[in-house]
Amino acid sequence: MTIDVQQIIFENVIQPALLALDMGRYIEDGYRATIWLMWGCIELVLIACILVPLQRWRPVEAVTDPATIRVDMLYTFIHRLGLFRLFMFLSLEPLLDEAFGMLRSGSFGIISLGTFQLDQLWPSVTDNAVVSLLLYLVVFDFLDYWIHRAQHGFPAWWALHSLHHAQRQMTCWSDNRNHLLDDLIRDLLLVCIAFLIGVSPSQFILIVVLTQLSESLQHANLRLSFGRVGERLWVSPRFHRLHHSIEYGFGHNFGVLLPVWDVLFGTANFDDRYEPTGIDALGVDSTDYGRGFWAQQWLGFKRLVRT
Ligand SMILES: [Zn+2]
Ligand SMILES: [Zn+2]
């Protein structure tokens, strides 16, 4: 069914738009992009229809600065509707194509890369559709944990990631509030790993969508914990809020989907607390991070240069 809807949207919206813009050479890419656009729209509907009412039901704190939430909404729309991905594609695709082509053809002397598939490790077990998806999910989540540790560990990367943490009105729209350079580095790493471990495009989309939806929930202004056992199985709003806490956070709860990495590497904190978020405790007023989209991007760039 998904394929049919993809076809209908492609034929009625994407294809005519590409032809009107004289971009017929991107027809095939446009078809692939349609599935991302579809999932992005589904995500936005789910956020608006489920997470927003949940926030009204059990908020952690009152909304005192709606303007800053509107900017976070802009970030979410840019990312989930694929505008950032489109920019990445147009600017980086030729470069990546060449790099991956060289890896595939063995020009770097690494002949097997690009043909390796992690789910072929144990044929008839790991290549089962569900097992394979879970396997890739765990691998990407492990990678995400260490990317997040690096975002806090390297001063230059923190100069960018701190924009995400400066938000004092954290809501279900705050997940994509990041510096574009930060997103670019993270996405490039994930795409390279996806290539190296041979995840299929449809599995990759599912993993990304699931991760994004879970991240939207984690950032929600929502007093919600998954209970003693659940808190250790999946990252909850309580778990991630503690990572954002002004006084408590930063050193804890880096996990993106699975708290198990924080448990294994000694960074887990399961205290049942709902703290104010932001980074004022570090002696920096959060207004220094800018209020509008471009101000935030420009100030982030300046922080990076200073570092
Ligand atoms: Zn962080
Ligand atoms: Zn966060």
Side-chain angles (χ1 to χ4, degrees):
M1 191 199 117
T2 314
I3 299 299
D4 292 342
V5 180
Q6 183 181 4
Q7 188 71 30
I8 292 167
I9 297 178
F10 172 72
E11 280 173 7
N12 293 290
V13 183
I14 308 291
Q15 194 174 26
L18 283 173
L19 293 176
L21 293 167
D22 198 20
M23 292 171 83
R25 63 189 180 283
Y26 291 124
I27 290 276
E28 231 176 90
D29 302 306
Y31 182 74
R32 281 200 296 270
T34 310
I35 190 90
W36 285 99
L37 180 66
M38 275 168 55
W39 274 113
C41 292
I42 293 171
E43 283 184 49
L44 290 175
V45 170
L46 290 175
I47 294 173
C49 295
I50 299 177
L51 298 186
V52 171
L54 278 176
Q55 291 189 140
R56 291 214 183 97
W57 173 53
R58 293 187 70 186
V60 173
E61 58 194 359
V63 172
T64 52
D65 190 359
T68 187
I69 298 176
R70 283 196 290 274
V71 178
D72 283 3
M73 289 174 80
L74 177 66
Y75 278 101
T76 307
F77 276 82
I78 287 174
H79 279 271
R80 306 289 164 103
L81 291 179
L83 295 176
F84 176 71
R85 203 161 274 123
L86 182 70
F87 163 76
M88 278 240 313
F89 169 78
L90 291 176
S91 52
L92 294 174
E93 180 80 359
L95 207 89
L96 287 178
D97 259 2
E98 200 163 311
F100 289 148
M102 284 170 94
L103 283 171
R104 240 184 230 116
S105 64
S107 311
F108 290 148
I110 322 171
I111 295 159
S112 59
L113 285 182
T115 50
F116 173 76
Q117 278 179 292
L118 187 65
D119 63 359
Q120 294 302 318
L121 276 182
W122 188 2
S124 81
V125 175
T126 48
D127 55 1
N128 166 283
V130 178
V131 178
S132 162
L133 184 70
L134 287 177
L135 181 70
Y136 284 120
L137 192 90
V138 170
V139 172
F140 277 108
D141 196 56
F142 177 71
L143 184 73
D144 263 332
Y145 172 83
W146 283 106
I147 289 177
H148 197 182
R149 287 285 298 265
Q151 284 172 320
H152 284 260
F154 293 110
W157 211 345
W158 170 251
L160 301 174
H161 183 57
S162 52
L163 166 60
H164 178 69
H165 277 274
Q167 178 58 289
R168 300 172 76 176
Q169 286 263 253
M170 206 168 80
T171 67
C172 58
W173 304 103
S174 304
D175 172 45
N176 290 119
R177 178 198 159 102
N178 292 304
H179 199 278
L180 294 177
L181 213 52
D182 193 4
D183 287 321
L184 186 76
I185 297 167
R186 185 170 170 267
D187 280 9
L188 270 179
L189 282 170
L190 291 177
V191 167
C192 288
I193 295 296
F195 174 80
L196 292 178
I197 62 176
V199 62
S200 75
S202 56
Q203 282 173 319
F204 189 59
I205 291 178
L206 270 182
I207 291 170
V208 171
V209 169
L210 191 71
T211 305
Q212 286 179 337
L213 277 173
S214 187
E215 286 181 312
S216 297
L217 170 68
Q218 289 159 29
H219 288 90
N221 174 18
L222 175 63
R223 197 173 287 276
L224 180 69
S225 139
F226 295 161
R228 248 190 83 76
V229 179
E231 282 290 315
R232 282 151 179 88
L233 295 178
W234 200 262
V235 171
S236 70
R238 182 216 60 81
F239 188 92
H240 193 63
R241 175 169 275 269
L242 216 130
H243 174 69
H244 276 260
S245 153
I246 292 180
E247 293 182 28
Y248 230 69
F250 305 143
H252 301 290
N253 300 5
F254 296 94
V256 173
L257 296 179
L258 307 170
V260 66
W261 312 123
D262 284 294
V263 175
L264 283 176
F265 299 110
T267 50
N269 187 321
F270 292 105
D271 289 356
D272 193 23
R273 306 168 68 114
Y274 295 85
E275 303 283 322
T277 63
I279 47 181
D280 304 51
L282 298 180
V284 188
D285 185 345
S286 60
T287 52
D288 288 344
Y289 290 81
R291 288 194 54 86
F293 178 86
W294 289 114
Q296 289 170 358
Q297 295 299 314
W298 172 238
L299 289 168
F301 184 68
K302 283 211 307 202
R303 277 196 305 279
L304 177 67
V305 172
R306 272 204 304 271
T307 327

